Amino acid sequence: MAEDSLRSSGLSFGLAVVLNGDDKKDNPVKNRLISCRNDIDQQSLERTLEHIFNLRHGALGLLKNPLDAGVVRSIIKKHFSAVYPDSNGCSEGRDGFCMVGNSLTSIIGIEESSICGDLQINKHPLILESLTIFSSARANACVWRGKWMYEVILETAGIQQLGWATRSCPFTDRMGVGDAENSYAFDGRREKKWNKEDETYGQPWVVGDIIGCCIDLDEDKILFFRNGISLGVAFSGIRKMPPGSGYFPAVSLSQDEKCDLNFGSRPFKYPVTGFLPLQSMPHVCALASQLLQSLSRLLELQRTESSEFNSLGRLGRLKRFVPLEDIFIPVALAICEEFFYILDKEVESTEYVAWGPFLSFLMEVFGLQAPHDFSSLDRVLDLFLQFRSSNLLFQHLINALSSGCKTASLVLTECPHSGSYCYLALACHLLRREELMILWWKSPEFEFLFEGFLSRKSPNKHDLKFLIPSVWWPNSYEDVSLESNMMLTTMALSSAIEKIEEKHRDLCCLVLQFIPPVTPLQLPGSVFRTFLQNLLLKSRGDHNFPSRAILRNPVLVSVYTVVLHFLSEGFPLSDICGWSKGCKGNKSDIGFLHQGGLQRFPIALFLKNDSYRVDILRLGGSFNHLAKAHPVYDKEEEVVSWEEGCMDDEESKVTHFTRHKPCCCSCNVSDPAKTYCDPTKPSLKGSRGHSASAPESSSHCNSGNLNDEIIDKPSSSDHSYSHAEYRPVQHMRIVPTETTFSSAMLGEEELLDAMLLLYHIGVAPNLKKASTYLSNQSQSISQLEEIDRQMKEGPCGELQRCLKEARNICREEVIDCIRHSTWYRIALLARWKQRGMYAACMWTVQLLLILSKDDVLFSFVPEFYLETLVDCFHVLRKSDPPFAPSAILIKHGLTSFVTFVVTHFNDPRISSADMRDLLLQSISVLVQYKDFLVAFETNVAATNIMPRALISAFDNRSWMPVTNVLLRLCKGSGFGSSKHGETSTSSVIFQRLLRDACTKDEELFAIFLNHLFNILSWTITEFSVSVREMQEKYQVSEFQLRKSSIVFDLSCNLARILEFCTREVPQAFLSGTDMNLQRLTEVVVFILSQMILATDSDFFEMAVRRHGNMLEKVNRGLILAPLAGILLNLVDSSMVPSGSKQNDIIGVFASMDCPDTVLCGLQCMLEYNWAGFSKGNVHFSKLRQLEEFSSLLISEMSSRDPERSELGYEAETDYSTCCICYIQEADAQFFPCLHKSCFGCITRHLLNCQRCFFCNATVIDVTRKSKTSSENN
């Protein structure tokens, strides 16, 4: 009768609700569920429970009691008895294993008595770090039968020897695992296996790799796995060991190397079939897995019931199962109660369950790819967080997620949701709950785990073959289809990295918003600030901190990327509890770097004695020295402010409010009204005070949102959190926007300061590697094209075979370089990152220019500001594809960069010569490009300051970059120098300015000439020595060739500058004292004697020809041309009428003590094929002029000493003073070169060297004028 009444009330689907009260709505909690039969005599409640718990059909009889948690737990205990912890079935198959030592626990760890060296050991997880040159240790368990394995997670990727060893293996400070007979190891850094001797084996490993160390004692072999991929059998036929004294897991680490050992206390990431973990799986694991699987099926039923079904399918479900709305809570609650009951009984198993079944369960519920199931996950979290024991479970879960981020590799077929994405997505959703965020923050491993989340595993050469299988480049002979394949691959990898970076930002936003539950109250951002400061401090090698941190470049790159996105693209949340100054009014979506208008910077960032920045070098020296010399504590609360673009000319100014926008912005709007308060000087005010500054502009380079104009900004269109599913962060405390803690808020300026340092120590090294690969790629492609050209000529036989082999090798090098270059471009140089870098350059250079007006403040600026600025600029300049056309890269936003480098490359306030050279080298690089040279020519500071500063900077240290700059400014102005497009980068403007600077300051020019003569003589001598060494040894090393080639180039460049001086400032040689003319003549003759007449032609071409240069670029014309130009310039200028007496050029040359050298050198110039060298650009009238000069010189020499002219040997010089000491008479002469000096100088010189110090010729005799005595040497 009861069933009939239930059917008549409409509950024929099998669920009966018995109300304890009259009104169901008044007492919803007291509802009880009982079983009933449906129309076709099926017990749908029992069938539902059988499905949930995976029981056979009919395993559950008719439930007689109302359904509650107790009934469900009784079902679990009855039907899951086979896997209950009380059963002892988990110890099977462990014969051949034993633990050693006096350990009272069954947990496998390190046997402390085996440690050699200094190992820092962290037991949860088991992380080892070597603090000495070489440290070794064994585990406290051994095996002698069966198949066993353990895993090693690489925290660093240096020299580590991982493997197995017997107890008899000796450990010393030089010998470790694999260095003795009964020990076997693998080292991925050196790609070798070790057993007394080393052999090539395996693949190179990277940080985050998981190495599986397996030993098969049934077949007596050892093998290793890298990320689940077998590296092959490393050792076979290993020695059998008796029971109780088998092989121990053992590791040896070099200094600062770290690894995480997993003997089985956590599930293996890559288990190998047939191999057992040393640590047995906890007994509760099987039951925990079944309980979680049951809960998963319950959730699946709920999802299915809530989804859309056709009427037939829905009818079938109604007939078979009961609705889950009312049974979900009692069943789920019973499962959770039983789950935590077994964990409480065996607490040490919580780690294994959290890393294994629980993590897998949550991943299954949440989903590995978007769209994720947020509602089901939230329901699970609500259930589990009701239990107090859940804290330990979730703590281990957070550890597992962090470790997963470190070890996850990108897989091309899984893109875009590949790599660490799934771990990050789950972690971000979990940590939106305040209780879990607090649990994470209270963990002593908080920063270590945070770094783990921000890790991104980098591929090596082997991994890139799988990530980028298809490679193509322009003008190659590769299959055309590879181009589209490579493009698709690049897009997939870019999308995957974009997803991961998006989750990094989500996680950092959660930390930024987090308000720690401490007293006194802290503001949002305080936790992130502490993490950032500690990360920067540890990354610079402060050993006072625990060494658990990962400290890998990928972590620094990830944090840099997050901060750059915050500052450039805007914060993803409209307001982070009011702390961000970028979230004001309508500018919340505009990045701080793009806001323009009035800029501010707190001086305290430079002046405070913070522990994480006190040892950073400043432009003026060390902080401690500057603090003593310039006490500035009264300025710590001040803020420097300026108007954007205030240091630029009004006509050329480009800001976010001018008609032309900076390169980092792509939109055009009209100029908004702007107000300037003394735009040329910085204004200092207290950070708490208010001043009548320019009002906040209401528009940016876009009247709305800048990001609307950014076509490739990281998209959020498929963001995990829709409006319906988005779970806000749970905070119980609210911080008002305006508080008395405003000075302690984490501001964008502080983030910018940290970002510049992150770039310097984390990103710049990666970009340098990228630049190296790009350069090697270009060279390899050129070599490949040259080989292809030679093969087209049709060589046969052995030569053809050699060319094919060389082509295959070169092709592999090209492909490898392209893969690496592509990876770096994808990972580091996305378009939005380049925009941010450009905006950061604008912001930084304006700040430096403003601070340079105050000597004290400028001296406190950290050096990394300058280094990051220069490096960022050149990265953008060289980016491929180009970030912006070279014609506007500087013009539209970075005019101030030119102003800064030209005003400070010789600034004495910058104490480091390296920093000054860095600026000088930037000028040297830029002026060789026509578009950039125009930027210098139109820059007021460059035209006013640079010419004189270049001349004054030409000293013993900076002469090389100054030479490059002067040469590029003066190209095209010398004799026969208009070949190969050299005139394209010459500057008539700067040539005139340099001439004026030399003419107006004669003393400075005299110093410059003195340095020029000395350095040119030195380079000539170095080249001569290199060539003679090659001639004498009859063998040429690559180093010697490179050195001689570089020195030759430098000599040619210096000679060109000297030629420019004789053309533009001839009066310095022709008027007044003839000292400059005398020294010039000596240098010219010295070059002719050492580089032209005394050098074998074959060795000369070998010495100066660089790899890849055509032969026409290495002929003697490169050095003869400037020498000819010098002579012609002096001859031309001597013919111009002058009011003052001019020096006699012919007389000075004729007075040289080596007339044969002079005449032979002139004859070599005249006979040289100038038409072939300069393609007809040399006027023959100039050559006739040179012939006339030679004729006059011969006549002058004949008139001075007719006998010498007839006999053909050289006359004595009229200058009797020693040119070395300028004190004694030149009374001694070298033989056979006949150079003269005083006997004292020659004697001292010959004590150390048997070569002439004028021409470097080997000395045979020394003849003294007063008495003829031979000293054989």
Side-chain angles (χ1 to χ4, degrees):
M1 294 296 296
E3 294 179 5
D4 293 338
S5 64
L6 287 172
R7 292 192 188 98
S8 63
S9 64
L11 294 177
S12 59
F13 46 80
L15 177 63
V17 180
V18 179
L19 302 179
N20 290 333
D22 295 332
D23 189 357
K24 175 180 177 180
K25 295 183 179 180
D26 294 338
N27 300 282
V29 180
K30 297 182 180 180
N31 292 350
R32 294 178 298 164
L33 300 176
I34 62 174
S35 178
C36 65
R37 296 179 181 272
N38 59 18
D39 293 336
I40 57 177
D41 199 29
Q42 289 182 335
Q43 297 169 317
S44 51
L45 176 59
E46 287 75 9
R47 302 295 81 75
T48 303
L49 294 176
E50 288 171 358
H51 173 77
I52 292 171
F53 294 109
N54 198 28
L55 304 177
R56 63 176 176 80
H57 182 76
L60 293 180
L62 182 66
L63 296 182
K64 299 179 180 180
N65 297 321
L67 185 66
D68 56 17
V71 172
V72 177
R73 290 189 67 181
S74 65
I75 295 174
I76 294 173
K77 290 182 179 293
K78 177 180 179 181
H79 293 277
F80 286 4
S81 58
V83 293
Y84 228 77
D86 295 337
S87 61
N88 296 321
C90 294
S91 59
E92 298 178 358
R94 302 193 65 80
D95 184 27
F97 164 86
C98 72
M99 297 186 65
V100 297
N102 299 321
S103 177
L104 300 178
T105 177
S106 60
I107 297 177
I108 299 177
I110 296 298
E111 184 182 0
E112 295 187 3
S113 62
S114 71
I115 296 176
C116 176
D118 189 359
L119 276 177
Q120 180 173 318
I121 303 176
N122 183 77
K123 296 186 178 180
H124 298 289
L126 186 58
I127 294 181
L128 275 59
E129 177 180 7
S130 174
L131 303 181
T132 56
I133 295 177
F134 204 59
S135 302
S136 303
R138 291 189 302 268
N140 60 354
C142 68
V143 293
W144 64 88
R145 184 186 302 122
K147 298 181 179 181
W148 307 89
M149 71 172 292
Y150 68 98
E151 283 188 341
V152 182
I153 301 176
L154 300 179
E155 297 286 344
T156 57
I159 296 176
Q160 304 182 32
Q161 294 174 200
L162 315 174
W164 303 84
T166 64
R167 188 181 290 275
S168 62
C169 175
F171 290 157
T172 68
D173 59 349
R174 295 183 179 275
M175 293 183 62
V177 185
D179 296 325
E181 182 178 1
N182 291 327
S183 63
Y184 307 88
F186 165 55
D187 177 8
R189 175 62 182 270
R190 294 174 285 187
E191 296 182 64
K192 292 182 180 296
K193 60 181 180 180
W194 300 80
N195 176 233
K196 292 185 67 177
E197 302 294 335
D198 63 274
E199 294 181 33
T200 301
Y201 173 80
Q203 301 171 0
W205 58 31
V206 297
V207 175
D209 274 349
I210 298 181
I211 306 301
C213 303
C214 303
I215 185 168
D216 184 350
L217 293 169
D218 296 335
E219 298 185 8
D220 302 328
K221 61 183 180 181
I222 293 176
L223 56 161
F224 296 91
F225 290 75
R226 175 177 178 255
N227 301 324
I229 305 299
S230 175
L231 301 179
V233 176
F235 306 99
S236 58
I238 62 175
R239 178 183 173 187
K240 290 283 189 181
M241 300 298 294
S245 60
Y247 289 94
F248 295 75
V251 297
S252 295
L253 310 177
S254 59
Q255 191 163 10
D256 296 327
E257 291 300 308
K258 290 185 290 187
C259 64
D260 181 352
L261 303 180
N262 180 18
F263 298 117
S265 61
R266 293 162 285 158
F268 286 152
K269 178 83 171 184
Y270 301 104
V272 179
T273 304
F275 288 83
L276 297 175
L278 296 171
Q279 182 80 53
S280 60
M281 184 179 67
H283 295 161
V284 304
C285 185
L287 178 57
S289 297
Q290 290 209 17
L291 291 173
L292 293 173
Q293 290 171 11
S294 299
L295 185 56
S296 177
R297 285 188 288 270
L298 177 62
L299 292 168
E300 180 62 28
L301 285 177
Q302 185 188 44
R303 284 194 296 267
T304 304
E305 186 173 88
S306 61
S307 61
E308 293 295 332
F309 279 85
N310 58 39
S311 57
L312 182 61
R314 189 163 183 82
L315 179 62
R317 290 202 54 79
L318 291 176
K319 289 291 184 181
R320 182 179 178 187
F321 297 129
V322 299
L324 298 179
E325 181 180 354
D326 295 319
I327 72 168
F328 181 88
I329 294 299
V331 175
L333 193 61
I335 293 175
C336 291
E337 288 176 352
E338 195 65 23
F339 178 80
F340 284 106
Y341 170 75
I342 61 174
L343 289 185
D344 290 341
K345 288 183 62 178
E346 196 173 325
V347 177
E348 61 273 10
S349 65
T350 305
E351 179 183 14
Y352 192 97
V353 172
W355 285 67
F358 189 58
L359 176 58
S360 300
F361 164 70
L362 292 182
M363 283 293 185
E364 181 183 354
V365 172
F366 186 62
L368 298 177
Q369 299 183 356
H372 299 288
D373 190 347
F374 297 100
S375 59
S376 295
L377 180 60
D378 285 334
R379 197 157 191 180
V380 168
L381 295 178
D382 291 336
L383 283 169
F384 279 84
L385 288 174
Q386 297 178 33
F387 298 86
R388 295 178 58 184
S389 303
S390 65
N391 282 355
L392 181 60
L393 180 70
F394 280 101
Q395 184 174 332
H396 286 302
L397 176 66
I398 293 172
N399 293 351
L401 291 172
S402 176
S403 177
C405 292
K406 289 190 294 184
T407 59
S409 302
L410 281 176
V411 179
L412 183 60
T413 55
E414 296 176 359
C415 291
H417 302 95
S418 184
S420 60
Y421 170 82
C422 58
Y423 299 101
L424 285 167
L426 179 57
C428 288
H429 193 74
L430 293 176
L431 294 174
R432 300 196 72 80
R433 293 178 174 260
E434 186 182 25
E435 59 266 43
L436 294 182
M437 177 62 83
I438 293 175
L439 180 68
W440 178 35
W441 173 74
K442 287 184 176 180
S443 168
E445 309 294 332
F446 169 75
E447 292 188 359
F448 175 74
L449 298 175
F450 199 180
E451 291 178 17
F453 283 124
L454 296 174
S455 297
R456 194 168 66 196
K457 190 174 178 182
S458 301
N460 61 14
K461 177 180 178 179
H462 182 270
D463 301 327
L464 284 178
K465 292 181 180 179
F466 296 94
L467 284 178
I468 310 177
S470 302
V471 174
W472 181 89
W473 63 95
N475 302 321
S476 69
Y477 291 98
E478 305 296 319
D479 191 342
V480 179
S481 62
L482 296 179
E483 180 182 7
S484 59
N485 293 342
M486 186 176 180
M487 184 180 300
L488 293 174
T489 299
T490 303
M491 293 173 60
L493 292 176
S494 299
S495 179
I497 291 177
E498 177 186 312
K499 295 288 184 185
I500 293 172
E501 290 176 346
E502 182 180 353
K503 290 306 170 186
H504 284 163
R505 295 193 296 271
D506 290 345
L507 182 64
C508 289
C509 275
L510 293 174
V511 178
L512 278 167
Q513 296 175 82
F514 177 60
I515 305 172
V518 295
T519 303
L521 179 67
Q522 294 186 18
L523 294 174
S526 60
V527 175
F528 187 78
R529 170 193 278 158
T530 303
F531 165 76
L532 196 56
Q533 291 177 351
N534 290 340
L535 178 66
L536 293 173
L537 183 60
K538 289 181 287 187
S539 63
R540 294 186 357 256
D542 192 324
H543 298 291
N544 294 325
F545 275 78
S547 55
R548 288 293 313 282
I550 298 170
L551 297 183
R552 299 177 292 170
N553 263 356
V555 180
L556 302 177
V557 172
S558 295
V559 179
Y560 159 81
T561 304
V562 168
V563 177
L564 177 64
H565 191 277
F566 285 169
L567 296 177
S568 177
E569 308 299 312
F571 287 82
L573 301 179
S574 60
D575 187 6
I576 300 183
C577 300
W579 74 271
S580 173
K581 291 187 291 181
C583 302
K584 291 182 180 179
N586 296 325
K587 303 175 73 174
S588 60
D589 292 327
I590 298 178
F592 166 77
L593 295 174
H594 299 285
Q595 290 177 9
L598 185 65
Q599 314 282 5
R600 299 181 178 88
F601 193 85
I603 302 301
L605 289 176
F606 295 157
L607 305 183
K608 281 187 177 180
N609 189 17
D610 294 329
S611 59
Y612 81 99
R613 61 166 54 243
V614 66
D615 60 337
I616 294 177
L617 290 176
R618 312 305 174 96
L619 294 182
S622 68
F623 179 86
N624 292 332
H625 169 74
L626 292 173
K628 294 177 182 177
H630 309 287
V632 288
Y633 299 109
D634 57 327
K635 294 185 177 183
E636 285 188 0
E637 297 299 322
E638 293 181 341
V639 173
V640 61
S641 62
W642 69 96
E643 193 72 25
E644 183 188 20
C646 66
M647 304 301 294
D648 298 332
D649 302 330
E650 286 296 329
E651 296 180 357
S652 60
K653 180 186 299 184
V654 174
T655 71
H656 290 84
F657 298 104
T658 55
R659 183 173 62 88
H660 293 293
K661 303 303 174 193
C663 291
C664 53
C665 304
S666 58
C667 47
N668 296 303
V669 296
S670 58
D671 262 350
K674 300 186 293 292
T675 325
Y676 295 95
C677 55
D678 196 2
T680 61
K681 296 181 181 180
S683 63
L684 296 175
K685 61 180 179 57
S687 61
R688 301 172 189 270
H690 301 276
S691 62
S693 59
E696 293 288 347
S697 302
S698 59
S699 64
H700 185 241
C701 52
N702 185 355
S703 58
N705 184 354
L706 167 67
N707 298 330
D708 295 338
E709 299 291 334
I710 297 176
I711 57 177
D712 61 335
K713 175 191 173 185
S715 173
S716 312
S717 58
D718 59 345
H719 195 284
S720 307
Y721 300 101
S722 66
H723 292 293
E725 297 171 327
Y726 189 84
R727 185 184 185 93
V729 181
Q730 299 176 355
H731 282 306
M732 299 179 64
R733 294 164 300 284
I734 298 177
V735 178
T737 303
E738 299 295 334
T739 70
T740 58
F741 301 101
S742 59
S743 62
M745 288 183 178
L746 176 62
E748 290 95 336
E749 297 87 356
E750 188 174 351
L751 286 176
L752 175 62
D753 174 81
M755 186 194 77
L756 296 178
L757 184 54
L758 286 167
Y759 178 94
H760 176 61
I761 62 180
V763 180
N766 285 292
L767 289 173
K768 288 179 182 177
K769 290 182 181 179
S771 179
T772 301
Y773 277 110
L774 196 61
S775 176
N776 293 341
Q777 171 186 324
S778 177
Q779 294 178 9
S780 299
I781 290 177
S782 298
Q783 294 176 21
L784 187 61
E785 292 174 348
E786 176 64 19
I787 294 174
D788 289 337
R789 184 189 64 80
Q790 294 180 21
M791 294 181 67
K792 283 183 178 180
E793 295 176 357
C796 56
E798 185 68 17
L799 180 58
Q800 180 75 8
R801 185 183 64 81
C802 293
L803 286 174
K804 287 182 178 180
E805 293 179 356
R807 189 187 190 282
N808 291 334
I809 295 173
C810 191
R811 177 179 176 273
E812 289 301 318
E813 292 177 353
V814 171
I815 291 175
D816 180 59
C817 289
I818 291 176
R819 284 192 175 116
H820 280 86
S821 300
T822 302
W823 172 258
Y824 280 117
R825 184 170 61 251
I826 293 171
L828 300 176
L829 293 175
R831 191 68 178 174
W832 72 264
K833 295 176 185 176
Q834 295 185 48
R835 278 194 301 271
M837 291 166 64
Y838 190 92
C841 285
M842 289 181 60
W843 217 98
T844 305
V845 73
Q846 292 181 50
L847 170 64
L848 293 177
L849 284 173
I850 291 297
L851 294 176
S852 66
K853 296 181 177 298
D854 187 307
D855 292 346
V856 175
L857 293 180
F858 186 68
S859 65
F860 276 90
V861 174
E863 286 185 353
F864 70 80
Y865 270 63
L866 190 151
E867 293 177 276
T868 299
L869 168 65
V870 173
D871 192 80
C872 268
F873 172 80
H874 288 292
V875 167
L876 293 171
R877 178 183 62 82
K878 296 186 296 183
S879 61
D880 181 25
F883 168 68
S886 57
I888 66 171
L889 183 67
I890 290 179
K891 183 179 179 181
H892 287 186
L894 283 178
T895 305
S896 297
F897 180 80
V898 174
T899 303
F900 180 77
V901 295
V902 300
T903 54
H904 293 89
F905 75 87
N906 201 29
D907 190 343
R909 296 178 298 175
I910 301 178
S911 63
S912 172
D914 291 337
M915 294 297 102
R916 297 196 300 270
D917 287 349
L918 186 65
L919 299 178
L920 189 54
Q921 289 163 6
S922 294
I923 299 174
S924 174
V925 170
L926 293 177
V927 295
Q928 66 180 311
Y929 300 100
K930 186 174 182 180
D931 290 331
F932 295 140
L933 182 58
V934 172
F936 280 82
E937 291 177 335
T938 56
N939 187 279
V940 176
T943 54
N944 291 340
I945 298 173
M946 191 168 74
R948 190 181 188 281
L950 286 172
I951 296 173
S952 62
F954 192 88
D955 54 22
N956 292 333
R957 176 184 175 85
S958 303
W959 66 269
M960 195 177 299
V962 172
T963 298
N964 293 333
V965 175
L966 293 175
L967 178 70
R968 285 156 185 167
L969 294 178
C970 303
K971 273 186 176 180
S973 61
F975 179 81
S977 62
S978 58
K979 186 184 174 185
H980 306 303
E982 287 183 348
T983 55
S984 62
T985 56
S986 62
S987 173
V988 176
I989 295 175
F990 276 106
Q991 291 176 23
R992 174 178 54 80
L993 293 172
L994 286 168
R995 181 186 67 235
D996 294 343
C998 295
T999 304
K1000 292 178 182 178
D1001 196 334
E1002 296 181 359
E1003 181 180 357
L1004 177 63
F1005 184 57
I1007 297 173
F1008 168 76
L1009 280 180
N1010 181 56
H1011 287 150
L1012 180 58
F1013 289 140
N1014 292 338
I1015 295 172
L1016 182 54
S1017 298
W1018 173 79
T1019 57
I1020 296 298
T1021 303
E1022 285 294 316
F1023 178 78
S1024 178
V1025 170
S1026 298
V1027 174
R1028 279 192 169 85
E1029 286 178 351
M1030 288 188 286
Q1031 288 176 323
E1032 293 173 358
K1033 295 179 180 179
Y1034 293 99
Q1035 56 182 355
V1036 182
S1037 66
E1038 183 65 26
F1039 172 77
Q1040 284 179 310
L1041 287 176
R1042 188 167 63 252
K1043 174 186 174 183
S1044 60
S1045 176
I1046 292 174
V1047 172
F1048 177 76
D1049 287 347
L1050 291 173
S1051 300
C1052 296
N1053 295 343
L1054 291 167
R1056 280 293 185 189
I1057 294 173
L1058 191 54
E1059 179 190 10
F1060 172 78
C1061 293
T1062 59
R1063 180 173 65 89
E1064 296 296 333
V1065 196
Q1067 61 272 21
F1069 305 93
L1070 300 178
S1071 302
T1073 177
D1074 64 351
M1075 177 62 72
N1076 287 339
L1077 182 58
Q1078 177 67 29
R1079 294 199 66 184
L1080 174 65
T1081 305
E1082 292 175 351
V1083 168
V1084 171
V1085 174
F1086 189 38
I1087 295 175
L1088 291 174
S1089 64
Q1090 298 307 308
M1091 301 190 70
I1092 305 302
L1093 303 179
T1095 304
D1096 181 83
S1097 59
D1098 293 335
F1099 275 95
F1100 180 88
E1101 292 181 356
M1102 180 190 300
V1104 302
R1105 185 176 184 180
R1106 288 187 176 181
H1107 180 73
N1109 279 0
M1110 301 298 292
L1111 185 60
E1112 60 180 359
K1113 292 187 177 182
V1114 298
N1115 52 45
R1116 297 172 186 256
L1118 294 174
I1119 191 65
L1120 284 177
L1123 297 183
I1126 290 172
L1127 296 178
L1128 292 171
N1129 290 337
L1130 294 177
V1131 170
D1132 288 341
S1133 299
S1134 64
M1135 295 179 180
V1136 177
S1138 175
S1140 59
K1141 183 180 178 180
Q1142 292 188 341
N1143 296 320
D1144 184 7
I1145 305 173
I1146 302 295
V1148 172
F1149 271 91
S1151 65
M1152 296 299 296
D1153 59 353
C1154 48
D1156 287 347
T1157 301
V1158 176
L1159 295 177
C1160 290
L1162 288 174
Q1163 190 64 27
C1164 182
M1165 291 183 192
L1166 293 171
E1167 293 176 353
Y1168 187 75
N1169 181 20
W1170 293 110
F1173 172 77
S1174 57
K1175 294 183 179 179
N1177 289 323
V1178 173
H1179 297 289
F1180 288 99
S1181 59
K1182 292 291 184 181
L1183 295 178
R1184 285 194 294 270
Q1185 212 172 348
L1186 198 60
E1187 290 178 355
E1188 293 174 2
F1189 175 80
S1190 178
S1191 300
L1192 293 173
L1193 183 58
I1194 293 173
S1195 299
E1196 179 67 19
M1197 288 180 176
S1198 300
S1199 64
R1200 293 196 176 200
D1201 194 342
E1203 184 178 355
R1204 279 187 176 275
S1205 176
E1206 293 175 4
L1207 297 177
Y1209 58 85
E1210 300 173 348
E1212 295 183 1
T1213 179
D1214 293 336
Y1215 297 91
S1216 58
T1217 304
C1218 172
C1219 61
I1220 301 298
C1221 63
Y1222 290 99
I1223 298 176
Q1224 303 296 330
E1225 179 186 0
D1227 58 352
Q1229 189 175 34
F1230 287 121
F1231 187 81
C1233 63
L1234 303 182
H1235 285 115
K1236 292 185 177 182
S1237 179
C1238 69
F1239 187 74
C1241 288
I1242 288 179
T1243 303
R1244 287 190 296 272
H1245 173 71
L1246 292 178
L1247 292 174
N1248 301 312
C1249 180
Q1250 300 299 314
R1251 293 180 180 273
C1252 171
F1253 41 48
F1254 293 102
C1255 65
N1256 207 42
T1258 302
V1259 177
I1260 299 176
D1261 288 323
V1262 175
T1263 305
R1264 198 168 183 178
K1265 184 178 181 181
S1266 57
K1267 73 173 184 177
T1268 306
S1269 63
S1270 295
E1271 298 178 15
N1272 295 325
N1273 299 297

